[in-house]
Amino acid sequence: MRRPHQRRLSMAIAAAAVAALAATTAGNALATQASSAAARPLENSAPSKQTVAASKAVIAAATNAALAHAAATGLGKYDKLTPVDALIDPDGKQHVRFTRTHKGLPVLRGDLIVHLDAKSGWIGVTRAYKKALKADTVSPKLTTGQAKKKAAAAAKGTAADVQLVLSAGESGSTLAYQVRVVDSSSKESPVREVLINALSGALISNAAVNDSFITPQVQDKLRKLGAPATPTSGIATADRSSSPLAAAATAVTYPAAAVGSGTSLFAGVVPLNTVQTAATSYLLKDSTRGNTQTRTARNTDTNDFSAGSSFTSTTNKWGLSDLTKPAVDAQYGITKTFDFYKNTFGRNGIKNDGAGAHALVHYSQNLGNAYWDPDCDCMLYGDGDGATFTKPLVVLDVTGHELSHGVVAATAALEPTRIDWQGSQFGEPGALNESLADIFGSSTEFATNNPNIPPNYLVGEQLGLAQKFLRRLDHPSLDKLEGTVDYWSKAAYDTEVHAGSGISSHAYYLLAEGSGAKTIGGVNYYSPTYDGSVVAGVGRTKATAIFYRALTRYMVSTTDFHDARVATLQAAADLYGATSTEYQTVNKAWAAVNVTTANTPAAR
């Protein structure tokens, strides 16, 4: 479960300005790229004062426009907006994402994006909750103490934070307590978010805060099969890293940036940017990428990064022991994901605020999983359970997948429509979230292009599973562990999110590579279509740009597959034109997975 959407309500306008696009000079330089065949959406990291001022003006214009077009935005006199981010395209088009409160209460799934032209004129709005928001009462019948007691019992832990919210759903808005429960009995999800109906006391949902790469269902299935995974290790390569700064003839002022080398479990020998703290002392921390750092949890269940122990070295060579090898993979994977987003989209960090990501390896005991944990904004890696998974899940596309959940949480914050009593998630927005994580995780592999981790459209192929992958984008239903589906049907509305993720992942692959059989990088693919149509792909670069732009500009917390089709069509029109081959191929790719205008469900 990703961090609930309303947690972002505390963000101030200044924070939103940090996420705005580059200043005028950068925008002019990038406008030329935007008109080219390789055009892409761009974002900046550390805006100038001019950019901050411009962003504030854009946010003010979008706020006024939202109120002036209340019939379209669904805002009433009891609603207030809080900006999350403001994106300004090279052509001047503006997109401001908001969360909202109603009668002072945060509204779950109440987010919206206001779209303005270069002159701050109204273009339209993308709304998560499309019905009129009505709250008959904001006075709970349960006390906070009663709600915390019920939540603690449901999650088998200790109730901590609690707040009153409005949960906007199909049947209307529900007054609810959102309770944070810590020290849950499940070591794989020790922190949970529980929703309790504030009027009846009924349990609405009980979800893990962190996002696990291997679902409990898959773990149970693998255990029943009795077929342990045998992860594929990286092939050792020559150490081509630069010499440590300690060897330089010139004087060094500490701390200083350095470049060392690491022997990994999966990626071979890789260069690592580190920090030199003394003549013969180095810290596994990358000051060139927002102070990205990997520490060890020492096999405890802490998800507090500050409580982890730093990795240090006297030689700036890492991975020389079983203790440090997983740290090499984790640090390498995080920095390569950071590079993918920055070099491809201009996105500087998971939240586009310049901050690097963190990792805790050796998390818990006998744990065969990896997580993105929004509490610490970090990755958590177990060492394997010794049975099903015999090595830590520190593979590159696992890291790329999980950090991409962080990007989704910082933008559209896609959420499942239903969570059952076991914590399993269902519904199209949650499936789209999983799909985007797979898409961008795979894209990270392609951008990294490490021969020890050959890039492909497979996810988790180095985990050693008998089916040779966990999921795949070209023909998703070949994944028998999760029962992933190739095409949309009405059942997708309540399909488990990993199984349902195949629909949009398949559409992405068709957009990028096209249908039928082909061999790419030594891997054989065969991508079928629902209607027997033939789709000619437009290339991975364009497909990835279209999906990223759709995520950051046109997706909200409730975006389903038909909404995603509209969002990617709009993104293609923005980048390449509404009559372009790219736009037409987006339409064909979605039709090939049975997502069309004709079968769009009526508003639920």
Side-chain angles (χ1 to χ4, degrees):
M1 176 68 177
R2 268 58 61 191
R3 179 184 290 272
H5 190 71
Q6 76 281 5
R7 290 272 171 189
R8 303 187 301 182
L9 284 168
S10 61
M11 298 180 68
I13 288 181
V18 173
L21 289 184
T24 303
T25 53
N28 291 339
L30 296 172
T32 301
Q33 294 183 15
S35 63
S36 70
R40 63 177 187 263
L42 295 149
E43 294 164 312
N44 79 318
S45 55
S48 65
K49 291 181 179 179
Q50 177 185 1
T51 306
V52 171
S55 298
K56 289 181 178 179
V58 167
I59 290 167
T63 302
N64 291 333
L67 296 173
H69 294 81
T73 59
L75 297 177
K77 64 180 180 179
Y78 298 113
D79 294 320
K80 290 186 178 180
L81 296 176
T82 299
V84 174
D85 60 34
L87 302 179
I88 308 170
D89 296 337
D91 64 359
K93 187 183 293 184
Q94 305 156 17
H95 313 268
V96 182
R97 187 183 299 272
F98 295 98
T99 55
R100 66 167 163 167
T101 60
H102 181 77
K103 295 184 178 180
L105 299 181
V107 180
L108 310 192
R109 294 169 292 278
D111 50 304
L112 62 149
I113 307 171
V114 173
H115 309 287
L116 306 175
D117 62 23
K119 295 182 179 180
S120 296
W122 173 263
I123 295 177
V125 63
T126 305
R127 289 170 57 182
Y129 188 63
K130 299 178 178 65
K131 298 180 180 180
L133 186 65
K134 295 180 181 179
D136 294 332
T137 179
V138 292
S139 299
K141 292 184 178 179
L142 265 68
T143 65
T144 56
Q146 290 171 323
K148 291 174 70 173
K149 184 176 180 180
K150 285 179 176 290
K156 297 181 174 60
T158 303
D161 301 334
V162 59
Q163 67 172 335
L164 197 61
V165 301
L166 284 176
S167 179
E170 296 173 23
S171 58
S173 57
T174 302
L175 188 64
Y177 281 108
Q178 184 190 50
V179 187
R180 189 173 188 77
V181 178
V182 299
D183 301 325
S184 172
S185 60
S186 171
K187 69 177 182 180
E188 296 205 10
S189 52
V191 182
R192 306 186 72 84
E193 293 280 6
V194 181
L195 276 182
I196 301 292
N197 188 307
L199 301 178
S200 69
L203 174 67
I204 297 174
S205 65
N206 172 14
V209 168
N210 60 26
D211 182 280
S212 63
F213 187 74
I214 303 297
T215 64
Q217 296 92 326
V218 169
Q219 289 185 329
D220 290 343
K221 187 175 290 188
L222 288 170
R223 292 184 185 116
K224 290 176 182 178
L225 291 172
T230 307
T232 303
S233 297
I235 302 169
T237 59
D239 179 8
R240 298 183 177 88
S241 62
S242 304
S243 300
L245 290 181
T250 57
V252 178
T253 301
Y254 307 115
V259 180
S261 65
T263 301
S264 70
L265 287 171
F266 296 99
V269 178
V270 296
L272 292 174
N273 288 74
T274 59
V275 173
Q276 186 177 5
T277 55
T280 57
S281 180
Y282 301 88
L283 179 66
L284 191 57
K285 180 178 181 179
D286 189 343
S287 60
T288 70
R289 295 178 176 89
N291 290 321
T292 288
Q293 185 176 5
T294 297
R295 295 180 177 179
T296 174
R298 304 181 306 278
N299 294 118
T300 68
D301 292 335
T302 182
N303 66 342
D304 181 358
F305 182 73
S306 65
S309 298
S310 298
F311 285 100
T312 59
S313 170
T314 59
T315 63
N316 211 10
K317 292 187 180 295
W318 310 84
L320 303 181
S321 69
D322 291 341
L323 179 68
T324 57
K325 274 186 172 63
V328 171
D329 284 277
Q331 184 77 358
Y332 178 73
I334 292 174
T335 57
K336 289 305 175 183
T337 305
F338 188 103
D339 288 350
F340 160 68
Y341 277 103
K342 187 172 185 180
N343 296 337
T344 308
F345 309 118
R347 187 180 188 88
N348 196 353
I350 301 304
K351 296 181 180 179
N352 196 35
D353 57 1
H358 294 146
L360 286 171
V361 295
H362 305 303
Y363 172 71
S364 195
Q365 296 182 7
N366 300 318
L367 184 61
N369 219 328
Y371 311 90
W372 165 252
D373 191 315
D375 270 6
C376 63
D377 285 333
C378 66
M379 289 292 301
L380 306 176
Y381 299 94
D383 287 329
D385 58 11
T388 302
F389 292 98
T390 58
K391 291 184 180 180
L393 272 70
V394 287
V395 183
L396 177 61
D397 64 358
V398 172
T399 297
H401 171 103
E402 292 300 328
L403 290 179
S404 292
H405 276 312
V407 173
V408 173
T411 53
L414 292 156
E415 297 182 12
T417 55
R418 179 174 71 88
I419 303 169
D420 70 11
W421 65 276
Q422 293 178 310
S424 297
Q425 303 173 34
F426 300 83
E428 295 185 23
L432 182 59
N433 193 333
E434 292 298 333
S435 170
L436 291 167
D438 281 350
I439 288 167
F440 296 130
S442 173
S443 297
T444 299
E445 270 192 356
F446 277 106
T448 302
N449 199 26
N450 182 330
N452 296 312
I453 314 171
N456 51 53
Y457 291 103
L458 311 178
V459 179
E461 71 276 7
Q462 287 189 298
L463 298 180
L465 299 169
Q467 69 179 23
K468 307 302 183 184
F469 52 84
L470 180 61
R471 288 183 294 277
R472 60 188 298 155
L473 308 187
D474 66 315
H475 196 167
S477 63
L478 294 178
D479 164 27
K480 304 303 180 184
L481 282 171
E482 295 176 314
T484 307
V485 298
D486 292 326
Y487 311 118
W488 181 84
S489 69
K490 292 181 179 179
Y493 179 68
D494 200 43
T495 297
E496 194 276 330
V497 295
H498 296 86
S501 70
I503 297 166
S504 46
S505 293
H506 193 187
Y508 166 83
Y509 176 88
L510 288 165
L511 175 62
E513 302 292 351
S515 59
K518 54 178 55 69
T519 301
I520 305 169
V523 178
N524 295 324
Y525 300 98
Y526 178 78
S527 192
T529 60
Y530 178 81
D531 54 1
S533 62
V534 176
V535 180
V538 298
R540 186 178 62 256
T541 299
K542 292 180 180 180
T544 306
I546 289 168
F547 268 70
Y548 178 80
R549 183 176 181 83
L551 166 66
T552 55
R553 269 74 169 174
Y554 300 111
M555 291 185 185
V556 288
S557 60
T558 61
T559 296
D560 61 20
F561 293 127
H562 285 80
D563 294 331
R565 170 185 172 273
V566 173
T568 50
L569 283 169
Q570 183 60 61
D574 290 347
L575 292 170
Y576 308 108
T579 61
S580 64
T581 298
E582 291 81 5
Y583 182 93
Q584 294 168 12
T585 307
V586 170
N587 195 38
K588 291 176 182 177
W590 282 108
V593 298
N594 197 34
V595 176
T596 67
T597 300
N599 65 16
T600 301
R604 298 185 178 96

